Amino acid sequence: EAGVAQSPRYKIIEKRQSVAFWCNPISGHATLYWYQQILGQGPKLLIQFQNNGVVDDSQLPKDRFSAERLKGVDSTLKIQPAKLEDSAVYLCASSLAGGTQYFGPGTRLLVL
Amino acid sequence: KQEVTQIPAALSVPEGENLVLNCSFTDSAIYNLQWFRQDPGKGLTSLLLIQSSQREQTSGRLNASLDKSSGRSTLYIAASQPGDSATYLCAVNQGNTPLVFGKGTRLSVIA
């Protein structure tokens, strides 16, 4: 069984530029999460999808972050414009309802 | 609001030693607790998942216990090896909800 796929693995941009990350969850997993992990911290939720609907986006900085999961499978997370403090690892995870969350390798973002 | 704390923040032990990592959480109304391993620059690997009705789970040299009423979990690693060096993260959730993570314990096993 293929795991959660994410791309790109690394991205370096300058502040005020835009960037997009992609996630392909495990086949059949209806629930998809995006987490942000700042160096030295545990991951924190940005947004949770159930199929193509948003369940929880209370911690998403909506003035600059957006995410979508149009067909209930793949998801994209966008930052526009990026700030220095957005430098972090962005982790995507998927699960069956209430089950173990499986994480992708993450995208490491550096904003200069 | 659920908060998860992990102690110690960092730990260095000689190879072969048994060790315990601690995790505590403020809201005991959890659905499950997971222990993850994270290698530098990598994603998260799930090690053990304990349902709220369970007291412990074992996988090889790893044993995780859960005392839900006191809001505590421990991860026991037997006969540690240099390959065990990584950051260990504890996380809880309440059903089909996001995981709430601790900051992790950075473990170094010295050969």
Side-chain angles (χ1 to χ4, degrees):
Chain A
E1 179 182 86
V4 177
Q6 290 188 247
S7 67
R9 292 295 312 278
Y10 306 92
K11 191 74 177 178
I12 301 174
I13 61 173
E14 295 187 350
K15 60 183 179 183
R16 291 188 288 275
Q17 286 187 323
S18 63
V19 64
F21 312 130
W22 174 82
C23 173
N24 181 239
I26 292 173
S27 178
H29 282 193
T31 309
L32 184 148
Y33 308 83
W34 282 102
Y35 292 87
Q36 180 193 57
Q37 185 179 23
I38 293 172
L39 189 64
Q41 304 285 320
K44 291 186 178 178
L45 179 77
L46 290 174
I47 189 167
Q48 177 186 351
F49 291 95
Q50 183 73 19
N51 297 307
N52 61 349
V54 175
V55 174
D56 183 352
D57 64 356
S58 58
Q59 298 183 73
L60 187 74
K62 298 180 185 65
D63 58 333
R64 298 184 299 105
F65 286 65
S66 64
E68 60 184 15
R69 193 183 184 199
L70 293 176
K71 296 183 179 179
V73 181
D74 293 6
S75 177
T76 56
L77 176 69
K78 297 179 181 178
I79 308 175
Q80 182 180 11
K83 293 185 175 181
L84 298 177
E85 58 262 37
D86 298 332
S87 294
V89 177
Y90 291 84
L91 295 163
C92 179
S94 70
S95 73
L96 296 170
T100 303
Q101 292 185 27
Y102 295 90
F103 284 78
T107 295
R108 186 175 298 273
L109 174 67
L110 179 60
V111 182
L112 301 175
Chain B
K1 177 186 173 186
Q2 179 74 270
E3 293 184 2
V4 178
T5 302
Q6 291 187 246
I7 295 173
L11 181 64
S12 183
V13 301
E15 181 178 6
E17 200 164 284
N18 302 325
L19 58 100
V20 174
L21 307 181
N22 296 290
C23 171
S24 61
F25 45 95
T26 54
D27 184 352
S28 62
I30 64 169
Y31 184 73
N32 62 46
L33 181 145
Q34 277 184 269
W35 282 94
F36 292 88
R37 170 183 173 140
Q38 186 172 35
D39 292 286
K42 305 287 186 178
L44 305 180
T45 300
S46 181
L47 297 173
L48 291 164
L49 181 148
I50 312 178
Q51 301 282 2
S52 61
S53 59
Q54 298 174 322
R55 296 298 300 268
E56 65 177 344
Q57 283 286 337
T58 298
S59 176
R61 294 183 294 108
L62 305 180
N63 176 275
S65 67
L66 173 64
D67 185 342
K68 184 180 164 185
S69 61
S70 68
R72 296 177 188 272
S73 176
T74 60
L75 179 66
Y76 175 83
I77 302 177
S80 59
Q81 302 171 357
D84 295 330
S85 297
T87 296
Y88 291 80
L89 292 156
C90 168
V92 298
N93 74 353
Q94 291 164 304
N96 193 26
T97 61
L99 289 165
V100 178
F101 286 85
K103 292 184 178 181
T105 294
R106 190 170 63 254
L107 173 65
S108 295
V109 181
I110 311 302

